[in-house]
Amino acid sequence: MSGRFSMLPDETENPKFTHAVFHLENEGRLVFDDQRHFGLMKIVQTDALLQAKELKKLAPEPFSDEFSIEYLHKTAKGSKRSLKEFLIDQTKVCGLGNIYAAEAMFAAGVDPRKRADKLSKQKVLRLHESIRAVLDEAINHAGNQTVDPTNLEGNYFSAGTTAGWHVYDRENEPCLNCETPIVRLKQGGRSTYYCPNCQRT
Ligand SMILES: [Zn+2]
């Protein structure tokens, strides 16, 4: 859903939906293309970066000290929405999209339909650990892939984990833990995949 940066040599033409080009001192150029026009570009002073209104309201990074178990517990207590909708709200938890939210909830064994403020401290603890574990695995997996930033047609940065998805996009396929068919449901207009046996509370 996002736009894309590519490092292009001089002889390569700009992609069709190019919106911004940075000419670099050491030859080549950094090109931003965005077919769906969802991207936003803004120039700010480095020391004012975190004060920019687009970044200011974002929740702490999952790997930062601010993203503590206490933070997650307190923030969840203040939300009456379903856990899934809570997790993909970037002002509450930053960095989880539809896929990784589903994978983190599966890893923690929590029901995506449960209200965020009803989550026990024990579950918050497991969820906190799972969010970091799922993102960590995905980042490592992406880091081991060969990336060709000049190959715009190539499906680079294809998301994934070494073992593939546990629940995401696996409707009716057997759960990897218990073989119960994975269920898909709609939450806030988006699909959520989960195991009704492993994720009961
Ligand atoms: Zn299961």
Side-chain angles (χ1 to χ4, degrees):
M1 299 271 254
S2 50
R4 182 167 52 177
F5 281 103
S6 312
M7 282 292 297
L8 299 181
D10 290 342
E11 61 273 19
T12 307
E13 278 186 30
N14 285 340
K16 190 171 174 193
F17 298 99
T18 293
H19 293 274
V21 180
F22 299 88
H23 295 276
L24 307 178
E25 283 176 7
N26 57 346
E27 296 179 23
R29 61 202 198 279
L30 180 66
V31 174
F32 179 68
D33 74 297
D34 180 10
Q35 185 173 353
R36 296 179 185 85
H37 310 282
F38 285 162
L40 172 91
M41 198 163 287
K42 184 174 172 179
I43 297 172
V44 282
Q45 302 265 5
T46 306
D47 56 6
L49 190 61
L50 295 176
Q51 297 311 312
K53 73 172 171 26
E54 292 81 7
L55 297 182
K56 208 174 166 178
K57 58 189 178 205
L58 290 181
E61 286 286 332
F63 293 109
S64 68
D65 291 343
E66 291 100 303
F67 187 74
S68 60
I69 294 161
E70 290 68 34
Y71 168 83
L72 190 60
H73 192 222
K74 196 182 89 197
T75 315
K77 277 272 168 272
S79 174
K80 290 184 166 52
R81 286 187 296 168
S82 72
L83 186 57
K84 159 69 183 308
E85 289 170 283
F86 167 75
L87 286 179
I88 61 172
D89 179 344
Q90 304 299 307
T91 67
K92 304 290 190 283
V93 178
C94 189
L96 285 182
N98 211 35
I99 299 174
Y100 292 109
E103 293 291 311
M105 287 185 291
F106 175 74
V110 289
D111 187 335
R113 300 166 301 174
K114 195 173 180 71
R115 251 174 59 173
D117 61 350
K118 303 283 188 208
L119 214 62
S120 69
K121 185 82 195 261
Q122 187 60 27
K123 288 286 183 186
V124 169
L125 205 130
R126 287 182 60 182
L127 192 59
H128 183 267
E129 192 179 42
S130 301
I131 289 169
R132 284 186 168 171
V134 162
L135 291 177
D136 194 44
E137 193 193 347
I139 291 166
N140 282 329
H141 179 68
N144 289 330
Q145 288 185 320
T146 311
V147 175
D148 178 5
T150 66
N151 179 9
L152 293 172
E153 304 308 321
N155 186 23
Y156 68 90
F157 280 143
S158 59
T161 64
T162 320
W165 307 123
H166 295 88
V167 286
Y168 179 74
D169 204 21
R170 296 194 65 237
E171 186 180 16
N172 293 328
E173 289 178 39
C175 168
L176 301 176
N177 281 349
C178 72
E179 300 191 352
T180 302
I182 299 299
V183 168
R184 178 167 71 105
L185 55 93
K186 282 271 182 195
Q187 290 182 292
R190 313 221 28 211
S191 289
T192 303
Y193 298 85
Y194 78 111
C195 171
N197 183 43
C198 295
Q199 297 171 255
R200 277 188 290 191
T201 52

